[in-house]
């Protein structure tokens, strides 16, 4: 029955959920010292009774008092009472030893322990509590622990004594500390129900928690700051890349424009020449005008082509990939024609892909420009750019492969070509954003991949969509 | 006929330019004034003509950005053969890779024909061989 009522220790104090408390109470009452005296008295009385009953019985049966019986009875009763007494004494001794042991444990604990009765009297405090709150001097718990004149409004005595175990945190203004509190009911040595409280000082832990919280908050702020910074940086990078593409646009246009401009200039000057040398007639004039007009049309067409490339596309469309590649080739032709670079195309003209067509054309233009720059930088006169477009039957993806014979990319930089601001070129000419932006667009807008590899002296840029 | 026209009349010029329109117009301009014009479409052709006709050629006029062999490479080769050969560059680009201080003049496109004439005279005038003329 004891075990059912909770965890038992040998001190006679039962802690825990004391629902089955009532039947045990008598037992515990019996274990008190008062009871021991009562029992001794009872035994003594029994002995005297035996001493009287035994000769009386012998007289009744034998019609005389047998003194042998009397003495035997006395001796027997004495022995019995001595044995009982010694057993009781050893039990009391054991009990007090166990109590001592228990109190020692409580005293040695680093946590504060107190036992408070139902009328708020303090039955026990361990040295930790005493150290913290001073002598108890018969104070009630609310006065001793909280400096209050009446029971604390938050007092949980009722609940605890009805069998609940309570875990809670309390702040004590008297000690200015925060404690973790565990309250449970105990049966004290006199059999009454009292409240056993164990308090653990968590002020430091609390402080640490606060500090950690502060640190976390700071970290959080820091992360947010960095994220904001990065966003600004991305924004800047985006703006910069816009400037760059504007710059590239101008460069490309100027390459297309320079020769026709020169040619128009010469045609006009040539009219005066012909006049001076007496060669000018209507036919001569017509010829020169026709030639100049044709050049002017070229200039205008170039502008249209580039303007179309940089118009804003609202949404993704399905378009013919080979046509976009052709467009990129036309746009860069102003550059590469002069340099003797040849573009060889093997295009599957039926392939349709989805995305922003202009963006895609710009990516191809970026890759072609990259190859062109390499030829220029390395002074390679017979550059070949091979553009292949096909569908990979195994993966069902469209592959665009741009190979150039401008030499392999050194192993130490091949992993860096897609990093922003990376360039091997004259920094006045290039900013190192072209391939980076291309990769971002392929991966984010087209859900594809853009990779680079060397093969047999050629360098291949490969788009898979 | 001015002294200048007289001077031009005896010149033989090698003109190297890959752009057809420009090559035709400049060649027409030169042929009106000088004794002979050799035309070439790229540095390689130009160098070949120069190597076989260098005794006649008084002046080389060349573009820079051209296929097969560019103007700079050709100029290097020509100066190896004749370190004082007068050369004029005609280019659309004003940067260091399209101009040279080893040539007599760098002319930028679009070409002003009056300035070209003046430059030709300046360059052949500088040549010790022609001073003797």
């Amino acid at each position: 029955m004891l075990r059912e009522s909770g965890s038992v220790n040998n001190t006679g104090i039962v802690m825990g959920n004391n629902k089955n408390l009532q039947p045990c109470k008598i037992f515990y009452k019996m274990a008190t010292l008062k009871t021991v005296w009562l029992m001794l008295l009872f035994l003594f009385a029994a002995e005297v009774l035996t001493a009287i009953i035994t000769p009386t019985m012998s007289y009744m049966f034998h019609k005389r008092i047998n003194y042998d019986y009397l003495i035997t009875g006395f001796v027997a009763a004495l022995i019995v009472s001595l044995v009982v007494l010694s057993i009781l004494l050893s039990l009391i001794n054991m009990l007090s030893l166990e109590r001592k042991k228990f109190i020692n444990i409580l005293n040695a604990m680093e946590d504060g322990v107190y036992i408070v009765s139902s009328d708020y009297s303090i039955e026990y405090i361990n040295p930790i509590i005493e150290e913290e709150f001073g002598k108890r001097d018969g104070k009630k718990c609310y006065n001793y622990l909280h400096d209050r004149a009446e029971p604390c409004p938050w007092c949980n005595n009722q609940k605890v004594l009805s069998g609940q175990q309570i875990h809670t945190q309390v702040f004590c203004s008297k000690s200015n500390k925060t404690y973790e509190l565990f309250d449970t009911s105990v049966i004290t040595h006199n059999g009454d129900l009292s409240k056993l409280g164990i308090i653990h000082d968590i002020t430091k832990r609390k402080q640490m928690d606060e500090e950690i919280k502060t640190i976390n908050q700071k970290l959080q702020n820091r992360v947010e700051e960095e994220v904001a910074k990065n966003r600004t940086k991305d924004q800047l990078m985006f703006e910069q890349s816009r400037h760059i593409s504007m710059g590239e646009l101008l460069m490309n246009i100027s390459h297309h424009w320079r020769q026709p401009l020169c040619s128009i200039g010469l045609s006009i000057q040539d009219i005066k020449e012909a006049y001076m040398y007496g060669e000018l007639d209507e036919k001569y004039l017509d010829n020169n005008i026709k030639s100049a007009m044709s050049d002017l049309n070229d200039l205008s067409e170039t502008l249209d082509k580039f303007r179309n490339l940089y118009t804003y596309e609202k949404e993704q469309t399905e378009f013919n990939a080979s046509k976009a590649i052709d467009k990129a080739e036309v746009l860069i032709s102003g550059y590469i024609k002069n340099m003797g670079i040849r573009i060889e195309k093997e295009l599957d003209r039926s392939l349709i892909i989805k995305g922003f067509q202009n963006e895609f054309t710009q990516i191809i233009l970026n890759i072609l420009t990259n190859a062109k720059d390499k030829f220029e930088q390395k002074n390679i006169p017979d550059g070949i750019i091979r553009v292949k477009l096909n569908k990979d039957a195994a993966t069902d993806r469209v592959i665009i492969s741009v190979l150039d014979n401008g030499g392999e990319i050194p192993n130490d930089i091949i992993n860096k070509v897609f990093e922003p601001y990376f360039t091997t070129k004259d920094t006045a000419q290039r900013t190192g954003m072209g391939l980076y932006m291309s990769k971002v667009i392929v991966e984010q807008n087209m859900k594809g991949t853009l990779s680079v590899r060397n093969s047999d002296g050629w360098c291949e840029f490969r788009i898979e969509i | 006929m001015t002294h200048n026209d007289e001077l031009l009349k005896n010149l033989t010029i090698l003109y190297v330019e890959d752009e057809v329109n420009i090559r035709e117009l400049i060649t027409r301009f030169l042929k009106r004034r000088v004794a002979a014009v050799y035309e070439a479409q790229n540095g390689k052709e130009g160098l070949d003509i120069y190597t076989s006709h260098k005794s006649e050629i008084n002046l080389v006029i060349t573009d820079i950005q051209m296929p097969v062999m560019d103007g700079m490479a050709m100029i290097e080769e020509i100066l190896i053969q004749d370190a004082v050969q007068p050369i004029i560059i005609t280019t659309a680009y004003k940067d260091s890779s399209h101009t040279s201080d080893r040539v007599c003049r760098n002319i930028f496109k679009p070409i002003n024909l009056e300035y070209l004439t003046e430059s030709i005279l300046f360059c052949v005038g500088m040549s010790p061989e022609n001073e003797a003329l």
Side-chain angles (χ1 to χ4, degrees), chain A residues 254-255 258-263 265-267 269-270 272-274 276-277 279 284 288 291 295 335 337-340 376 379 381-382, chain B residues 5 15 17-19 21-23 25-26 28-29 32-33 63 65-70 92-93 95 98 109-114 117:
Chain A
S254 72
H255 274 277
R258 283 184 199 278
Q259 300 296 7
L261 277 181
C262 183
S263 161
L266 288 174
S267 286
Q269 294 178 83
D270 185 56
K272 193 189 169 193
E273 285 274 309
M276 275 166 57
Y277 283 83
E279 294 167 14
Y284 200 104
N288 275 31
S291 150
D295 283 335
Y335 255 130
K337 209 165 62 180
N338 288 338
M339 295 172 60
E376 197 172 38
N379 219 347
D382 49 354
Chain B
D5 288 341
Y15 180 50
E17 166 69 60
D18 61 322
E19 194 67 26
N21 276 354
I22 297 171
R23 193 172 65 242
L25 284 162
I26 294 289
R28 197 190 292 168
F29 161 82
R32 283 174 181 144
R33 290 169 172 77
D63 186 20
Q65 212 165 62
M66 289 180 296
V68 189
M69 177 191 263
D70 72 4
Y93 306 97
D95 56 58
H98 292 84
K109 291 175 180 173
I111 297 166
N112 180 322
L113 292 177
E114 278 175 28
T117 316

Side-chain angles (χ1 to χ4, degrees), chain A residues 109-131:
Chain A
M109 268 174 79
E110 282 183 12
D111 290 341
V113 180
Y114 59 78
I115 297 172
V116 173
S117 69
S118 52
D119 64 348
Y120 310 107
S121 307
I122 298 168
E123 293 176 352
Y124 169 80
I125 51 167
N126 75 346
I128 295 288
I129 300 258
E130 194 162 342
E131 212 173 283

Side-chain angles (χ1 to χ4, degrees), chain A residues 169-170 178-180 200-207:
Chain A
Q169 275 188 18
V170 287
T178 310
Y179 303 98
E180 203 169 65
H200 179 66
D201 184 358
I202 54 163
T203 314
K204 273 191 187 145
R205 201 179 81 196
K206 203 87 179 161
Q207 271 173 359

Side-chain angles (χ1 to χ4, degrees), chain A residues 21-35:
Chain A
L21 209 69
Q22 292 312 318
C24 313
K25 203 169 170 181
I26 298 157
F27 183 86
Y28 279 96
K29 284 225 187 252
M30 280 167 63
T32 62
L33 216 60
K34 226 187 278 174
T35 328

Side-chain angles (χ1 to χ4, degrees), chain A residues 152-310:
Chain A
C152 313
W154 60 85
C155 186
N156 60 12
N157 259 16
Q158 216 63 17
K159 280 186 190 166
V160 173
L161 294 180
S162 72
Q164 282 190 35
Q165 293 184 322
I166 295 176
H167 265 290
T168 180
Q169 275 188 18
V170 287
F171 174 74
C172 175
S173 53
K174 190 174 177 184
S175 63
N176 199 25
K177 280 181 180 170
T178 310
Y179 303 98
E180 203 169 65
L181 175 65
F182 174 64
D183 279 329
T184 185
S185 54
V186 292
I187 302 166
T188 52
H189 61 280
N190 56 15
D192 289 329
L193 261 185
S194 290
K195 180 172 83 172
L196 170 82
I198 300 169
I199 59 170
H200 179 66
D201 184 358
I202 54 163
T203 314
K204 273 191 187 145
R205 201 179 81 196
K206 203 87 179 161
Q207 271 173 359
M208 249 154 74
D209 282 354
E210 281 300 316
E211 274 170 34
I212 288 170
K213 224 167 142 186
T214 321
I215 289 169
N216 274 341
Q217 188 58 45
K218 275 185 190 163
L219 214 66
Q220 179 74 21
N221 291 347
R222 184 76 186 277
V223 167
E224 275 164 18
E225 262 173 47
E226 288 299 318
V227 167
K229 257 193 215 164
N230 268 346
R231 206 173 291 135
T232 322
K233 211 171 144 191
D234 279 352
Q235 187 69 28
L236 267 173
M237 208 146 84
F238 181 71
E239 301 246 321
Q240 210 173 10
S241 76
R242 273 187 72 87
H243 284 144
I244 292 154
S245 59
M246 297 288 280
E248 299 231 327
L249 168 70
L250 266 178
M251 287 272 273
N252 271 310
I253 291 178
S254 72
H255 274 277
H256 280 274
W257 270 41
R258 283 184 199 278
Q259 300 296 7
L261 277 181
C262 183
S263 161
I264 293 167
L266 288 174
S267 286
I268 292 168
Q269 294 178 83
D270 185 56
I271 294 173
K272 193 189 169 193
E273 285 274 309
Y275 174 73
M276 275 166 57
Y277 283 83
E279 294 167 14
L280 190 67
D281 54 14
E282 198 179 343
K283 201 182 156 208
Y284 200 104
L285 256 179
D286 274 350
N287 262 341
N288 275 31
I289 287 170
K290 220 167 121 189
S291 150
M293 284 314 289
S294 149
D295 283 335
L296 285 170
N297 277 335
D298 280 353
L299 297 184
S300 178
E301 254 174 49
T302 310
L303 279 188
D304 284 342
K305 278 177 204 154
F306 279 100
R307 200 192 59 201
N308 287 339
L309 181 65
Y310 289 89

